[in-house]
């Protein structure tokens, strides 16, 4: 295994995701402190703080996984990664290992900010562990579920924003189907008055597991540049990606707007307008 290439991959991910990690951790502290200041420090209020840590971990997870693959395509660094002297499985494994560690550290950090917010509001920090966790445990499966969908869409999409949107919508639909629609349908078909609570877990984790397996397989294929080999295939892939990048309707619209802005105003105003629209 080329450890130098693996270190470079991990360092690259650290640089690209560090600002997001820090910003969300700081936002978690502000939100948790605000919740305790407005709701009061009691079991339910502390439960809201713990639930905030769980929900923000799910948000960071899908954003982090979206940046792993869709971010590479969006920023144009995919081909650079594929030319590194490292096997596709090592490349994918390094990126996924980084994501798992960063999500776990984020979860621990948001619990740390919850303890800090509890202390800032005049209660011992360890009181957070005596909170009402009914709002927390119910959301734990969604961290895994939304991460699985985020990984799948990160490989199939070219924009990180599309990954975030599709992963959230899909996770909501899957929860509704596995928690309500399918158990109720099975109860009607088999004549049961109610379906046991274990049906949701079986359906939900079954779907999530299948999605994870498919996503990992697609990630390895992504690292192999679509399954091709050789310089000719790589040049063909680069040409295809360049064509897709600048040949779509979205990019043609952007070029027309850039040309329109270029014919108006002073050079400084034109440059500012174009950059603002692009962002």
């Amino acid at each position: 295994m080329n450890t130098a290439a693996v270190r470079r991959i991990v360092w690259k991910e650290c640089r690209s995701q560090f600002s997001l990690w820090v910003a969300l951790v700081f936002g978690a502290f502000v939100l948790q402190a605000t919740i305790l200041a407005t709701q009061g420090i009691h079991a339910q209020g502390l439960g809201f703080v713990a639930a905030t840590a769980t929900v923000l971990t799910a948000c960071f997870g899908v954003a982090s996984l979206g940046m792993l693959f869709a971010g590479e395509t969006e920023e144009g660094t995919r081909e650079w990664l594929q030319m590194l002297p490292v096997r596709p499985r090592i490349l994918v494994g390094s990126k996924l290992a980084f994501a798992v560690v960063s999500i776990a550290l984020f979860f621990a950090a948001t619990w740390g900010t919850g303890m800090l917010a509890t202390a800032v509001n005049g209660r011992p920090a360890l009181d957070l562990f005596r909170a009402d966790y009914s709002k927390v445990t119910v959301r734990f499966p969604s961290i895994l579920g939304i991460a699985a969908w985020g990984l799948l869409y990160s490989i199939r999409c070219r924009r990180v924003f599309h990954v975030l949107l599709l992963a959230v919508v899909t996770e909501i639909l899957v929860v509704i189907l596995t928690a309500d629609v399918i158990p109720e349908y099975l109860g009607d078909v088999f004549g049961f008055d109610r379906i046991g609570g274990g049906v949701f877990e079986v359906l939900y984790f079954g779907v999530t597991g299948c999605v994870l397996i498919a996503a990992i397989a697609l990630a390895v294929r992504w690292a192999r540049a679509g399954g091709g080999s050789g310089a000719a295939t790589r040049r063909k892939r680069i040409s295809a990606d360049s064509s897709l990048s600048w040949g779509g309707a979205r990019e043609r619209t952007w070029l027309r707007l850039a040309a329109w802005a270029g014919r108006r105003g002073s050079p400084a105003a034109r440059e500012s307008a174009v950059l603002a629209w692009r962002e």
Side-chain angles (χ1 to χ4, degrees):
M1 181 177 67
N2 192 332
T3 56
V6 171
R7 287 197 300 268
R8 182 170 293 184
I9 293 168
V10 173
W11 174 244
K12 175 184 176 300
E13 296 299 335
C14 287
R15 291 186 60 185
S16 61
Q17 298 192 20
F18 178 74
S19 58
L20 174 66
W21 196 94
V22 172
L24 285 181
V25 169
F26 178 76
F29 170 72
V30 173
L31 182 59
Q32 290 165 334
T34 303
I35 289 174
L36 290 179
T38 56
Q39 297 290 329
I41 304 178
H42 44 73
Q44 186 177 6
L46 292 171
F48 278 119
V49 171
T52 300
T54 307
V55 172
L56 287 179
T57 300
C59 295
F60 173 76
V62 69
S64 175
L65 290 168
M67 294 172 67
L68 283 185
F69 298 101
E72 304 288 0
T73 305
E74 188 172 5
E75 296 296 329
T77 55
R78 174 180 176 178
E79 296 298 331
W80 174 81
L81 282 176
Q82 291 166 344
M83 288 186 289
L84 289 177
V86 61
R87 293 182 177 179
R89 291 183 180 179
I90 302 300
L91 171 61
V92 173
S94 301
K95 293 172 79 68
L96 293 181
F98 170 83
V100 170
V101 172
S102 64
I103 293 171
L105 290 176
F106 183 87
F107 184 68
T110 51
W111 275 81
T113 58
M115 296 172 62
L116 179 61
T118 305
V120 167
N121 281 274
R123 289 283 294 274
L126 294 179
D127 280 2
L128 182 63
F129 294 98
R130 293 188 283 271
D132 178 13
Y133 291 124
S134 60
K135 295 182 177 61
V136 181
T137 55
V138 73
R139 291 178 173 85
F140 274 140
S142 289
I143 296 179
L144 179 62
I146 201 170
W149 289 110
L151 178 60
L152 179 65
Y153 287 127
S154 178
I155 300 164
R156 303 303 298 172
C157 297
R158 297 173 58 86
R159 298 288 184 268
V160 176
F161 177 75
H162 297 167
V163 175
L164 301 178
L165 182 62
L166 290 172
V168 171
V169 172
T170 306
E171 175 65 13
I172 293 173
L173 292 177
V174 169
V175 170
I176 292 174
L177 288 173
T178 55
D180 297 322
V181 178
I182 296 178
E184 183 177 351
Y185 173 76
L186 292 177
D188 293 338
V189 169
F190 294 103
F192 298 132
D193 292 334
R194 61 189 301 271
I195 298 292
V199 173
F200 166 71
E201 284 77 9
V202 171
L203 292 173
Y204 183 83
F205 287 111
V207 171
T208 302
C210 292
V211 171
L212 275 176
I213 293 172
I216 293 173
L218 289 173
V220 174
R221 183 182 178 186
W222 180 93
R224 288 174 178 162
S229 61
T233 302
R234 189 172 301 279
R235 285 195 299 269
K236 182 178 179 181
R237 180 74 187 196
I238 294 173
S239 177
D241 283 351
S242 300
S243 176
L244 287 173
S245 175
W246 292 102
R250 181 191 299 269
E251 300 299 341
R252 288 198 299 270
T253 301
W254 146 245
L255 291 175
R256 285 197 297 268
L257 288 170
W260 175 84
R263 295 191 295 268
R264 287 163 172 78
S266 63
R270 294 199 301 267
E271 180 181 3
S272 300
V274 169
L275 291 176
W277 170 253
R278 181 60 174 170
E279 291 302 321

